[in-house]
Amino acid sequence: MTFHITIDGRPVPVTPGQTIGAALHAAGVRSWRSTRFGGRPRGLFCGIGVCFDCLISVNGRAPERACLVEAAPGDEVTTS
Amino acid sequence: MTYDLVVIGGGPAGVAGALTAAQAGLRVALVDSAMRLGGQYFRHSADPRPAPGLDRFLRLARALDSRADLLLRHQVWSLTRGPDGDLTVHCTAPDRTALPVAARRVLIATGAHDRPLPFPGWDLPGVLTAGGAQALLKGNDVVAGRRIVVAGTGPFLLPVASGLAGAGARVLGVFEANGGLGLARHPLLALGKAGEAAGYAADLVRHRVPYRTRRAVVAAHGEREVEAVTVARLDKDWNVLATRVLECDTVAVGYGFVPQIDLGVQLGCATRHDVDGSPVLAVDAGQRTSVAGVWAAGEPTGVGGWRLSELEGRIAGQVIAADWRAHGGEAGAGAVAGVLLRRRERWRAFGEALQRAYPVQPGWQSWLRDDTLVCRCEEVPLARVREAQSLGATDARSIKLLARPGMGWCQGRICGYAVSCLAGEPPQPPRRPIAQPVTLGALADLTDDPTVQ
């Protein structure tokens, strides 16, 4: 049942129904973005689409909230 | 096509309201940003202790599925009224295309989100809101970390800690900033929720999770993620009395909830300040807002939990159905069953008692240092807020204009409460003309809409 997505080319397992943010967090990837000014690492914070800390690029699209986007097989996510 | 009712939000209030109206014969659509109905409380999935009321909610949700159009994974970013009086619920579909949904009536049931307080290191990965940790667990079957500290105020910390411990995390402690009560005199016990509170208390005992009152996480430490926290013993105003350091990899924090009222404010719905100072939508006995055709139910009218939300949803649904019958020429606006109104009063009193029992005390401001970020999005430290104040900013809005807290992606949803406290005023209703991110294309479509002036 498990499938994979990749983050910067590395495979991350996903249980169907999980969001991209949840799959990354579960795989021990807890930050995937640096802030503009301080270069601070950021990942999940509110987990429900409110805080925008978990922004991530999926398949080259503009940033989305990782906590809201359901992971699909083969999704390629890239950190910034 | 114009719906008789569009409900925004698929939690207990929205589902109860939509189902009640649909069963009365209205054409109903329900819009929610999530993949499934449930809202933040009734997320499905394997929880060691299923949320009380989950079976019942799932029955309602199944009943609704066959009677209404469900627009899941749709985000509502604006609510407008056309010259004919009809309302337009502006959504974006999962593929980001704009989808305006026309409605004669709207029920706002958009819930609430965690209210975090800033502290040094709160932007380190591994610090989550309590609701965020809960969403990972209940919605995704992901345990947020291995060694977890749960901190903040309010009874919501209990199911979060219990769920995490039951799923295999080592919960190092639940640190409740208010206190004196302890679990034995927990307001939940006094208000007829003894079984629920006792269940969580038993879970904590079984998993050897210490529950400590008048304690808080006042700093998180680490380079790239959380490695430890400072836990402080507090006086009753939350000033620090003593501290110790606790090694952990994850922190779940929540200091109550922020009702989500943007859409109502956009339409000009009157607001009031709730017991805890939160701006909420003012509603009458029938859950009507001050704007014709717009109802609200659940946390946007005041935080009180899922039972109150469901009751308010049902009452709104009945009143909306009566309004529909009246406009359809049928006789009389049917009265809402008295028993529902009495139950609503009881649960409202319960919600207000909880807010009084778990206030946010001003001492948290002494946890901040000059370089502590107040606004995570725009990376505004306390020093810049203070600088704005020294330049003459005396309210949150002026501080925002001078120092930019609340001007970033989240538009003040996370830092708004803290900035208001720092400014010394109660939080003001949010002024967000766009409630969710939207493409320029969707905005361009909006200007082509002949119903919008």
Side-chain angles (χ1 to χ4, degrees), chain A residues 18-19 22 25 30-31 35-38 40-42 44-46 48 50-53 55 63-65 70, chain B residues 35 40 43 75 96 123 125 127-129 132 140 142 144 225 249-250 373 376 378-379 409-410 436-437:
Chain A
Q18 285 180 335
T19 64
H25 197 92
R30 308 230 276 181
S31 63
T35 60
R36 281 178 299 161
F37 305 116
R40 304 272 293 166
R42 292 286 171 82
L44 294 179
F45 178 61
C46 82
I48 63 168
V50 176
C51 77
F52 293 82
D53 268 333
L55 290 174
E64 303 203 48
R65 287 166 279 180
E70 188 172 351
Chain B
M35 296 175 254
Q40 300 308 332
R43 289 174 178 271
Q75 298 189 22
R96 293 189 174 206
D123 65 323
V127 179
L128 297 163
T129 64
N140 295 274
V142 171
E225 47 185 82
D249 56 44
T250 304
L373 292 188
R376 301 164 67 96
E378 289 292 303
E379 297 175 81
W409 272 101
C410 93
Q436 293 287 337

Side-chain angles (χ1 to χ4, degrees), chain A residues 11 61 74:
Chain A
R61 292 193 305 263

Side-chain angles (χ1 to χ4, degrees), chain B residues 338-382:
Chain B
V339 62
L340 285 186
L341 300 178
R342 286 193 296 279
R343 258 189 241 152
R344 181 181 61 187
E345 285 322 299
R346 207 163 68 234
W347 285 108
R348 257 189 200 158
F350 164 72
E352 288 173 5
L354 277 189
Q355 290 189 28
R356 285 202 185 86
Y358 297 98
V360 173
Q361 299 288 3
W364 69 266
Q365 295 178 34
S366 69
W367 309 345
L368 311 185
R369 299 184 312 234
D370 280 352
D371 63 351
T372 303
L373 292 188
V374 173
C375 167
R376 301 164 67 96
C377 303
E378 289 292 303
E379 297 175 81
V380 180
L382 177 68

Side-chain angles (χ1 to χ4, degrees), chain B residues 3 15 19 31 49 73 83 104 182 188 226 240 243 301 304-305 345 383 411:
Chain B
Y3 286 98
V15 166
L19 181 59
V31 193
R49 180 179 294 278
R73 299 171 67 210
R104 299 239 149 72
L188 290 180
V226 179
V240 173
T243 63
T301 71
E345 285 322 299
Q411 286 287 291

Side-chain angles (χ1 to χ4, degrees), chain B residues 234-401:
Chain B
L234 306 175
D235 69 13
K236 67 175 173 34
D237 294 324
W238 297 12
N239 296 301
V240 173
L241 298 175
T243 63
R244 69 185 168 108
V245 172
L246 200 56
E247 284 185 20
C248 63
D249 56 44
T250 304
V251 187
V253 280
Y255 287 89
F257 298 95
V258 177
Q260 303 201 112
I261 62 170
D262 309 34
L263 295 170
V265 174
Q266 283 178 5
L267 268 182
C269 296
T271 61
R272 64 179 180 90
H273 280 101
D274 206 1
V275 172
D276 69 345
S278 299
V280 295
L281 298 178
V283 290
D284 70 6
Q287 302 293 138
R288 293 179 197 86
T289 70
S290 65
V291 171
V294 181
W295 279 256
E299 316 294 41
T301 71
V303 169
W306 71 271
R307 286 178 177 84
L308 178 60
S309 293
E310 190 199 307
L311 281 165
E312 290 185 353
R314 283 173 70 188
I315 291 167
Q318 291 186 3
V319 176
I320 289 165
D323 181 80
W324 172 74
R325 283 192 293 269
H327 284 82
E330 287 187 30
V336 176
V339 62
L340 285 186
L341 300 178
R342 286 193 296 279
R343 258 189 241 152
R344 181 181 61 187
E345 285 322 299
R346 207 163 68 234
W347 285 108
R348 257 189 200 158
F350 164 72
E352 288 173 5
L354 277 189
Q355 290 189 28
R356 285 202 185 86
Y358 297 98
V360 173
Q361 299 288 3
W364 69 266
Q365 295 178 34
S366 69
W367 309 345
L368 311 185
R369 299 184 312 234
D370 280 352
D371 63 351
T372 303
L373 292 188
V374 173
C375 167
R376 301 164 67 96
C377 303
E378 289 292 303
E379 297 175 81
V380 180
L382 177 68
R384 285 237 299 282
V385 172
R386 295 301 188 212
E387 184 189 25
Q389 290 178 298
S390 72
L391 291 171
T394 53
D395 61 286
R397 191 164 173 79
S398 309
I399 292 173
K400 172 176 165 176
L401 293 172

